[in-house]
Amino acid sequence: MWGRKKQVRIEPTAGEAPEVERLKDALRKARVDQAERSGVVVDLHDAEVARLEVLNEALDPVFEQIPAHVDLFDRGISRGETPRLWIDAIAHVGMGRDKRVYRFVQDTRYGRKVLAESPNISEIAEAVTKYLAQRLIDRERALSDSGVTGIADPRPAIREERRRRTWRAVRTFVYGVLAGFGILIVMALLSTPKP
């Protein structure tokens, strides 16, 4: 009961291979299968990157039309575990689960929003173009609300604002001096004795 059990050895017969060799063969075969599968995964990964590079080249004419002073977009392909074509900091194009469908996604504060999904490069390029146009309009609107235009040189506006502040300060000083003299005159008239 508490002692060791006797191990019984089974001798392989002439037509039967030993169990250890079969396990080694099974492990070798499993490793070969896994290597083949990982090779397929690497090939799929490279295929995804290649498809995103084709889309990136299709978007070159659109990005060339963006004015040079607009640094809103930073396009590039990230080659991580899931390759992505980044349009800007919050939007990217990735491949769908079947690796044939492009998925254009925008990250929002409420989660990811799928803007377009299609196997055609032209449809995704059109969706990216619409997105770029919308972002440029939003940028122009934000700049016009702040009073600074994105096209004009801001230096004249800054000079004009400084000039206004300087004259406002001079005017305030002059009014203060006049008010002080007025108070002194009134005090002098009130403090003189009446005859």
Side-chain angles (χ1 to χ4, degrees), residues 56-70 73 75 129 132 136:
N56 192 19
E57 290 172 4
L59 290 173
D60 280 342
V62 176
F63 277 90
E64 288 173 359
Q65 296 175 8
I66 295 175
H69 67 277
V70 175
F73 306 108
R75 183 175 54 143
T129 304
L132 294 175
L136 287 170

Side-chain angles (χ1 to χ4, degrees), residues 12-189:
T13 59
E16 200 178 301
E19 206 172 308
V20 176
E21 287 182 26
R22 283 193 287 165
L23 180 59
K24 283 184 183 178
D25 290 338
L27 284 172
R28 187 177 305 120
K29 188 175 182 180
R31 285 188 183 120
V32 168
D33 289 343
Q34 185 177 13
E36 287 176 0
R37 272 185 267 140
S38 67
V40 168
V41 169
V42 169
D43 289 342
L44 284 174
H45 184 270
D46 291 343
E48 280 184 71
V49 171
R51 289 179 65 103
L52 290 174
E53 285 174 349
V54 169
L55 176 62
N56 192 19
E57 290 172 4
L59 290 173
D60 280 342
V62 176
F63 277 90
E64 288 173 359
Q65 296 175 8
I66 295 175
H69 67 277
V70 175
D71 59 350
L72 190 61
F73 306 108
D74 190 21
R75 183 175 54 143
I77 295 178
S78 64
R79 300 176 187 266
E81 188 176 323
T82 56
R84 295 179 176 143
L85 170 61
W86 290 93
I87 306 301
D88 61 5
I90 60 173
H92 66 272
V93 178
M95 301 305 294
R97 291 184 188 259
D98 64 350
K99 311 300 184 205
R100 293 182 191 151
V101 175
Y102 295 97
R103 180 177 288 166
F104 183 37
V105 180
Q106 180 183 14
D107 293 328
T108 65
R109 61 181 112 169
Y110 304 112
R112 286 196 173 156
K113 179 181 174 185
V114 177
L115 300 176
E117 192 170 14
S118 173
N120 297 332
I121 291 177
S122 60
E123 292 178 15
I124 296 299
E126 184 178 334
V128 170
T129 304
K130 287 179 183 177
Y131 173 77
L132 294 175
Q134 185 62 41
R135 292 281 294 182
L136 287 170
I137 290 172
D138 291 344
R139 178 183 179 276
E140 288 174 5
R141 190 174 295 149
L143 288 175
S144 67
D145 288 346
S146 67
V148 178
T149 62
I151 299 169
D153 188 18
R155 287 180 277 180
I158 292 171
R159 275 191 230 119
E160 182 64 30
E161 183 64 29
R162 283 185 188 158
R163 206 173 292 132
R164 282 188 201 141
R165 286 182 185 175
T166 303
W167 281 110
R168 192 177 303 143
V170 168
R171 236 182 324 194
T172 304
F173 178 74
V174 169
Y175 289 151
V177 168
L178 291 176
F181 280 137
I183 291 173
L184 283 175
I185 291 173
V186 169
M187 294 285 285
L189 291 175

